[in-house]
Amino acid sequence: MDKYEVLKHYYGYDTFREGQEMLIDSILDGQDTLGIMPTGAGKSICYQVPALVMNGITLVISPLISLMKDQVGALNQAGVHAAYLNSSLSYNQYCLALNYARQGRYQIIYVAPERLTTEEFLTFAKEANIAMISVDEAHCVSQWGQDFRPSYLKIVEFIDQLAVRPVVSAFTATATKEVQEDIVQILKLRKPRLLITGFDRNNLSYQVAKPADKYAYVSQYVKNNPDKSGIIYCLTRKSVEEVSNRLQREGVAVTRYHAGLSDDERRQNQDDFIYDTKPVMVATNAFGMGIDKSNVSYVIHYNMPKNIESYYQEAGRAGRDGEPAECILLYSGQDVIMNQFLIDQNRENEALDFEALEVVRKRDRERLKKMIYYCMTTDCLREYVLQYFGEQGEPYCGNCSNCLVEFEKMDITKATTAILTCVQECRERYGITIILDTVHGSKNAKLKQYRMDQNTQFGILEDYTIAKLRQIMDYLLHHGYLELSVSQYPVVQLGELAEDYLENGGMLLMKVPLEQEKKTPKVTKKKAHSEKAIDDTLFEQLREMRTKIAKEEKVPPYLVFADKTLVNMCSVLPKTKDSMLTVSGVGEVKYERYGERFLEIIKAYVG
């Protein structure tokens, strides 16, 4: 089969998405290839399609067990023989899988990087006809990536030991220019063809909220969206437990995931989420990479992540089916302190020596600053993310919380002078709360203890609310008038622009929302799907059939058919096999397995 026949037969699509065909052609031409594509853009097809066209085995190097399990499950469901080799297999299972591989049963094999240089796998690889090695989540090879894994450095060592060097392809959703250069250099890609399809996901709306009560916000949002599946990310295990327990007591079908749970419980909870038994997942960032659940309608970050890359990747788990989805980040100053503490206590890269670890920490602190600025900016959030990854966006996207809010200009000259002078007089020794309490004239006992009640700026801004002063403080931090020290207990320091401002003065204006943010989210009910003129009754009947089949075959519902495919069925209303095969996502294999059962429902409904 050629690439088009493979696409239709196994995946049920008539055309490739943007960038996919160029990457596939590059691989089929025998060219090393690097693809930078956003989550949900169809990276896996870019190496799976050529793997099914080429003569030989494709090894896909992947960092997480969940990713491999999900991808292999989807391939087997589509009629492709595939397997994975990782620590989840017993020794006997591992040996059996290798024997099947030697017999040529698998066209695609997913393997953990740690397995590459083991004696058993090397023996197999040296004898096998390996047509391609594809490195998924390729940013893991770079110390400048947000998820550096020393085990990824074994990849080049492995390739160098093969008798014949295969085509090497690499894919990731998150790579700045430095990371792209690292991938090419460390993997020793030979004159690679690079394609960046763009980081924008038009179906995602981005929001930053600063509610006084985060839990109340989340609880209200989940209750207003009872029929939707979503992920709530928390920074700590303690927060995961607290949020999930409270939601459960309120009757929400919720589960949880963090590293403190047993392997069996994590596996069960993940399955409950994937199978839609419990459609709401509360988790730390230990959850999600490789989870290909297509119908996640929202991702809420209960705490600010430590960098833009992590946020982009985690938020990108929403709307993988192309349907409208919401990405909401709940920000508070405590998140900054917690992230700085986690960076200082970095235990993720214990294999690195002290100097290398300091380089990683310095890099992480800089990226944390960019994440904080994202939460503080009044400019377009989408444009901010795109510019971070080196892509030019529009100043107005119309689909983020900043673009959808009207702003006015507020004169903050007096407040700025007072805050900067206060910081200067106390010799940059205190944190945000002490500084703001001082200029506000608080009766806090600590102020007397620190003699801040004797500061010339004490009480000079008593007419301002603390909330407004925090807004101004955020602005000054974001725009370089102030900065926070990098330590377990950050103190406010004068920034690059402070000296000139204090000497020369000048008017300073800040954009502020015309209406203050409410404590609970304003929720607008959205349609369950994006296509027009779809009968919801038929859609629900098709979903019920999908759920029934999924339970019979013990697979996640989206592996039977994605929501988008069911929506397309409602639009096309097929009555024959040929018309059913025109539905996006229905290939020959899936039609033979399920097609008739869905046709019967549609024919009965149409009459």
Side-chain angles (χ1 to χ4, degrees), residues 11-259:
Y11 302 92
Y13 302 131
D14 294 310
T15 57
F16 290 103
R17 294 193 208 173
E18 180 190 357
Q20 287 180 330
E21 192 165 10
M22 176 186 160
L23 291 165
I24 289 166
D25 288 343
S26 174
I27 294 169
L28 292 176
D29 288 342
Q31 177 114 24
D32 283 0
T33 303
L34 173 57
I36 316 293
M37 307 172 75
T39 302
K43 289 188 295 294
S44 57
I45 278 181
C46 296
Y47 57 79
Q48 288 175 1
V49 167
L52 298 175
V53 174
M54 298 163 84
N55 180 27
I57 296 171
T58 288
L59 297 180
V60 181
I61 299 167
S62 183
L64 285 183
I65 291 170
S66 58
L67 185 148
M68 299 185 203
K69 180 181 177 183
D70 206 63
Q71 294 277 345
V72 169
L75 284 168
N76 289 330
Q77 200 65 17
V80 176
H81 295 294
Y84 55 79
L85 301 170
N86 57 44
S87 60
S88 71
L89 301 178
S90 68
Y91 182 72
N92 288 337
Q93 289 173 322
Y94 181 77
C95 290
L96 183 62
L98 268 185
N99 285 334
Y100 285 159
R102 288 191 184 95
Q103 296 167 21
R105 291 201 187 188
Y106 307 124
Q107 291 172 280
I108 301 175
I109 300 174
Y110 283 74
V111 60
E114 295 84 359
R115 294 275 163 173
L116 294 175
T117 51
T118 61
E119 186 176 346
E120 294 110 323
F121 190 79
L122 265 176
T123 301
F124 155 73
K126 287 177 180 178
E127 298 170 352
N129 175 23
I130 298 175
M132 175 171 60
I133 291 174
S134 189
V135 183
D136 202 6
E137 308 293 346
H139 61 272
C140 293
V141 82
S142 170
Q143 285 190 23
W144 297 104
Q146 84 279 8
D147 195 27
F148 171 61
R149 296 180 183 236
S151 60
Y152 260 56
L153 301 178
K154 296 177 182 287
I155 295 172
V156 175
E157 180 186 341
F158 169 73
I159 294 172
D160 287 344
Q161 294 186 63
L162 299 178
V164 178
R165 183 185 185 277
V167 177
V168 180
S169 61
F171 296 89
T172 180
T174 50
T176 57
K177 188 176 180 183
E178 293 89 347
V179 174
Q180 293 169 31
E181 291 170 355
D182 258 8
I183 292 170
V184 172
Q185 182 181 355
I186 295 170
L187 293 179
K188 296 182 180 178
L189 300 183
R190 297 178 180 176
K191 297 180 180 178
R193 185 169 296 172
L194 169 65
L195 177 66
I196 303 174
T197 60
F199 292 91
D200 194 13
R201 300 263 312 275
N202 290 327
N203 63 314
L204 301 185
S205 72
Y206 294 100
Q207 301 173 45
V208 173
K210 302 173 184 177
D213 186 336
K214 287 186 177 184
Y215 180 77
Y217 186 108
V218 168
S219 174
Q220 189 65 46
Y221 184 93
V222 171
K223 288 173 184 174
N224 282 329
N225 293 275
D227 57 337
K228 293 182 179 178
S229 178
I231 305 172
I232 301 163
Y233 279 111
C234 300
L235 205 53
T236 65
R237 300 177 191 180
K238 182 180 177 182
S239 294
V240 169
E241 293 289 341
E242 180 185 340
V243 173
S244 60
N245 286 340
R246 290 180 71 177
L247 287 174
Q248 190 172 32
R249 286 197 297 269
E250 292 176 13
V252 177
V254 62
T255 188
R256 60 188 178 151
Y257 191 105
H258 59 71

Side-chain angles (χ1 to χ4, degrees), residues 381-482:
L381 297 175
R382 188 181 305 277
E383 183 191 31
Y384 185 97
V385 171
L386 295 179
Q387 285 185 346
Y388 180 86
F389 288 112
E391 189 175 322
Q392 191 60 45
E394 296 294 329
Y396 177 85
C397 75
N399 197 22
C400 78
S401 54
N402 285 351
C403 287
L404 295 174
V405 169
E406 287 188 54
F407 290 92
E408 61 182 344
K409 293 288 182 70
M410 172 185 174
D411 186 345
I412 59 168
T413 306
K414 176 186 174 183
T416 299
T417 303
I419 291 170
L420 295 185
T421 303
C422 180
V423 172
Q424 185 182 56
E425 287 186 8
C426 73
R427 300 179 185 178
E428 304 174 325
R429 286 183 295 178
Y430 302 113
I432 290 174
T433 301
I434 292 295
I435 298 300
L436 296 187
D437 280 352
T438 298
V439 296
H440 190 247
S442 169
K443 306 300 182 186
N444 189 333
K446 278 189 176 181
L447 296 188
K448 284 192 176 183
Q449 180 186 336
Y450 299 150
R451 298 185 179 177
M452 289 298 283
D453 57 337
Q454 298 174 26
N455 191 292
T456 62
Q457 304 305 307
F458 180 80
I460 200 167
L461 302 178
E462 62 182 352
D463 293 338
Y464 289 69
T465 64
I466 284 291
K468 183 61 68 179
L469 289 175
R470 282 195 174 274
Q471 271 189 309
I472 296 170
M473 175 69 80
D474 286 348
Y475 178 90
L476 297 177
L477 287 166
H478 177 34
H479 288 84
Y481 293 90
L482 293 171

Side-chain angles (χ1 to χ4, degrees), residues 274-290:
I274 289 173
Y275 286 77
D276 279 332
T277 306
K278 296 180 180 177
V280 178
M281 169 64 79
V282 183
T284 61
N285 64 2
F287 175 79
M289 188 181 282

